[in-house]
Amino acid sequence: MTPSTPLADPQLILRGIHKSYRAASSHSSARPIEALCGVDLAIDAPGFYAIMGRSGSGKSTLLHLLAGLDRPDSGEIWVANRAVHALRESDLVTYRRRDVGIIFQQFNLLPTLDALENTILPGVLDRRPAAALAQRGREILEQLGLADRMHHRPEALSGGEQQRVAIARALLFSPTLILADEPTGNLDSQSSAGLWRLLEETAAQHKIIVLMVTHEAVAAAHCQRTFILKDGRVAGAFESHGLDPTQLAHRSSELARTA
Ligand SMILES: Nc1ncnc2c1ncn2[C@@H]1O[C@H](COP(=O)(O)OP(=O)(O)OP(=O)(O)O)[C@@H](O)[C@H]1O
Ligand SMILES: [Mg+2]
């Protein structure tokens, strides 16, 4: 396998990822904080995947690196045969915009834009033709059941509708990868379950990798595989789809304790 022969299926490989942060301290001698210290992880098929781990284990840091929002100190990040770790800054901007869809806890919708405008914003920033963008935006919003909400601003949308706009925006460019960092942190249990189902369907329908950080075992039970991060490393992984959440929580805390 060489980078010049892309695979039909999207895939994701992390090799020996290290990332440290300089401690926010007045002492210049303060040791840096090692957020990630040798992450190895591979996903070879499209689908819905989870990352779990204690607070501070490096989950958000890992998602930031995958999203191209920051660079690793060392190690390799391959997304669909692209060496993300080696991209020039200008190519990284394009990668962020076109190849990755990101869904944050707060959804990050702009309050002055309506649902359609929020959905197509990455395309506007990418200077795509307006008419084609609007058509694509309308199609995705219709698929997500928001046909009659396109011209509502976020304040006039329910939490569940806002999350679907965030997914629509993440899907605008048919990305290779969707990353979600605790996307249901602010939702009630019914909306949360709806979002997990939607992410699962999105992965299956578009044949892409959806990788979600979660604290909730019931969320990971929607994912085919769950990776456990511990102290900046992958402590283990297991098949998690359809597992009983209590059993799943037990399994992940076992791994986090013993690995
Ligand atoms: N910008 C930063 N500057 C300094 N240290 C940071 C920075 N971001 C994260 N860290 C540190 O790196 C480690 C990993 O943080 P990270 O946010 O990746 O954890 P997490 O697993 O997402 O935790 P949580 O579940 O609480 O969101 C933590 O010790 C954190 O304090
Ligand atoms: Mg986090």
Side-chain angles (χ1 to χ4, degrees):
M1 180 179 67
T2 66
S4 56
T5 54
L7 293 180
D9 284 341
Q11 53 160 358
L12 186 157
I13 301 169
L14 297 169
R15 270 194 212 120
I17 300 292
H18 286 254
K19 179 71 185 175
S20 294
Y21 293 110
R22 228 177 292 284
S25 153
S26 52
H27 299 284
S28 56
S29 61
R31 294 247 247 112
I33 296 167
E34 270 205 301
L36 300 175
C37 43
V39 171
D40 293 312
L41 187 157
I43 292 176
D44 57 13
F48 189 24
Y49 299 86
I51 297 182
M52 296 184 83
R54 293 206 186 114
S55 179
S57 57
K59 305 179 298 295
S60 294
T61 302
L62 192 63
L63 246 52
H64 272 82
L65 299 182
L66 271 170
L69 292 165
D70 204 350
R71 290 176 186 275
D73 298 333
S74 61
E76 298 181 2
I77 301 175
W78 294 86
V79 175
N81 282 327
R82 286 180 78 180
V84 176
H85 57 281
L87 291 178
R88 287 181 312 178
E89 197 54 41
S90 57
D91 292 332
L92 202 58
V93 171
T94 313
Y95 166 80
R96 275 203 292 271
R97 210 174 271 158
R98 297 184 192 165
D99 295 287
V100 200
I102 310 173
I103 302 165
F104 293 106
Q105 198 172 82
Q106 311 288 348
F107 307 133
N108 291 14
L109 301 179
L110 292 185
T112 55
L113 302 183
D114 68 22
L116 181 59
E117 291 163 337
N118 264 292
T119 300
I120 65 173
L121 184 62
V124 173
L125 295 173
D126 211 41
R127 299 202 184 92
R128 302 284 175 113
L133 266 184
Q135 193 188 336
R136 168 89 182 134
R138 278 194 291 269
E139 269 169 28
I140 309 172
L141 288 168
E142 272 167 26
Q143 274 173 23
L144 292 169
L146 292 170
D148 55 356
R149 293 288 185 280
M150 292 197 198
H151 300 297
H152 289 224
R153 290 185 184 174
E155 61 177 12
L157 295 168
S158 73
E161 288 164 350
Q162 288 182 42
Q163 73 187 209
R164 278 181 276 158
V165 176
I167 294 177
R169 185 183 53 190
L171 283 171
L172 184 70
F173 284 137
S174 315
T176 317
L177 182 64
I178 288 188
L179 302 168
D181 199 347
E182 298 190 49
T184 55
N186 292 315
L187 296 176
D188 59 71
S189 60
Q190 201 184 337
S191 303
S192 296
L195 180 63
W196 299 324
R197 271 197 302 276
L198 204 53
L199 290 176
E200 195 177 349
E201 282 165 21
T202 300
Q205 198 180 9
H206 297 268
K207 298 198 169 41
I208 58 177
I209 292 172
V210 178
L211 186 57
M212 170 178 71
V213 165
T214 183
H215 278 117
E216 297 176 83
V218 57
H222 285 263
C223 299
Q224 59 198 69
R225 197 165 174 77
T226 295
F227 297 90
I228 307 297
L229 267 196
K230 186 195 181 189
D231 301 335
R233 278 195 194 91
V234 177
F238 54 90
E239 304 301 313
S240 47
H241 195 265
L243 274 191
D244 169 63
T246 314
Q247 206 185 338
L248 197 155
H250 181 70
R251 191 96 188 258
S252 71
S253 53
E254 275 291 274
L255 271 174
R257 195 170 62 237
T258 56

